[in-house]
C-alpha cells in the first residue's frame, strides 16, 4: 500500500495567531480587512476595464472568429469575477457568471445570439454605476439577466 503525504501548509494568519507573542484574532482580521481595502481601487479599475472590453467587443462576423470573440468575452467575464468577488459585489459576480455559463453552452460553429453579450455588458455597467442603496433595481437587473440565460440555455439544450 502506497501512502502519499504532503506537507501541511499554514497560512500567514495562522502563523501570526499561533506564534508566541502573536496577534489576536481580532487584530489579525482587522489587518486583513485593511489590506483588502487597500486593493479596492485597483479591483474597481479592473472591473471597469473588463466591462469596457465587453462593451467594445464587436459581434462575430462568421464562424471563423466566433470562437475568438466568445473566448474574449469569457476571459473578460472571469477577470471581472476575480476582481469583484473579494469585495462582495455579488450582483456583478452573478451576472458575469451567467454570461460565462451561456458562453460555455454555445457551439461557436452554430448560430447564436450575440446580443446576450451586449446586454450583459450594458447591464454590468449599469450595476457598476447604481448606488449601493438601489437594491431593488440591482435585484431586478440580475433576475432579468438570469431569466434570459435560463431561457437561452434551455433552447441550447
Amino acid at each position: 500500500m502506497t501512502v502519499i503525504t504532503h506537507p501541511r501548509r499554514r497560512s500567514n494568519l495562522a502563523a501570526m495567531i499561533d506564534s508566541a507573542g502573536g496577534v489576536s484574532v481580532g487584530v489579525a482580521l482587522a489587518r486583513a480587512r485593511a489590506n483588502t481595502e487597500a486593493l479596492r481601487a485597483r479591483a474597481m479599475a479592473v472591473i471597469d476595464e473588463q466591462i469596457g472590453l465587453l462593451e467594445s467587443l464587436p459581434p462575430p462576423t462568421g464562424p471563423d472568429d466566433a470562437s475568438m470573440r466568445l473566448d474574449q468575452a469569457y476571459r473578460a467575464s472571469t477577470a471581472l469575477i476575480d476582481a469583484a468577488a473579494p469585495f462582495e459585489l455579488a450582483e456583478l459576480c452573478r451576472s458575469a457568471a451567467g454570461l460565462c455559463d451561456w458562453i460555455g453552452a454555445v457551439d461557436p460553429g452554430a448560430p447564436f445570439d450575440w446580443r446576450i453579450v451586449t446586454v450583459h455588458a450594458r447591464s454590468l455597467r449599469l450595476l457598476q454605476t447604481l448606488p449601493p442603496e438601489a437594491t431593488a433595481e440591482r435585484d431586478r437587473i440580475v433576475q432579468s439577466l438570469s431569466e434570459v440565460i435560463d431561457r437561452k440555455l434551455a433552447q441550447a439544450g
Side-chain angles (χ1 to χ4, degrees):
M1 177 176 170
T2 304
V3 177
I4 299 173
T5 61
H6 59 85
R8 293 189 184 264
R9 296 181 66 195
R10 292 177 45 130
S11 70
N12 290 339
L13 178 61
M16 286 188 321
I17 292 170
D18 290 342
S19 65
V23 297
S24 71
V25 173
V27 170
L29 288 174
R31 286 182 188 168
R33 280 189 207 102
N35 290 339
T36 302
E37 281 305 311
L39 300 173
R40 183 179 285 275
R42 176 64 187 132
M44 295 305 128
V46 168
I47 291 167
D48 188 57
E49 178 184 321
Q50 298 310 313
I51 293 172
L53 196 150
L54 283 169
E55 290 172 325
S56 69
L57 280 176
T61 56
D64 295 338
D65 70 341
S67 183
M68 179 186 66
R69 294 279 187 256
L70 288 167
D71 183 58
Q72 290 171 323
Y74 189 88
R75 282 188 282 123
S77 297
T78 57
L80 189 152
I81 293 167
D82 289 345
F87 302 98
E88 299 177 10
L89 300 171
E91 297 94 354
L92 288 172
C93 291
R94 185 171 166 207
S95 299
L99 181 56
C100 288
D101 290 344
W102 175 77
I103 291 170
V106 167
D107 175 4
F112 59 88
D113 192 351
W114 184 259
R115 294 176 299 174
I116 292 175
V117 175
T118 305
V119 166
H120 269 75
R122 290 178 183 160
S123 298
L124 288 164
R125 179 67 71 197
L126 182 56
L127 286 168
Q128 181 194 30
T129 58
L130 280 173
E133 60 272 3
T135 55
E137 292 84 357
R138 291 172 170 284
D139 290 345
R140 219 171 299 128
I141 292 167
V142 173
Q143 182 60 36
S144 295
L145 289 174
S146 293
E147 290 171 7
V148 168
I149 294 301
D150 289 346
R151 207 168 318 128
K152 290 297 181 177
L153 289 175
Q155 290 174 356

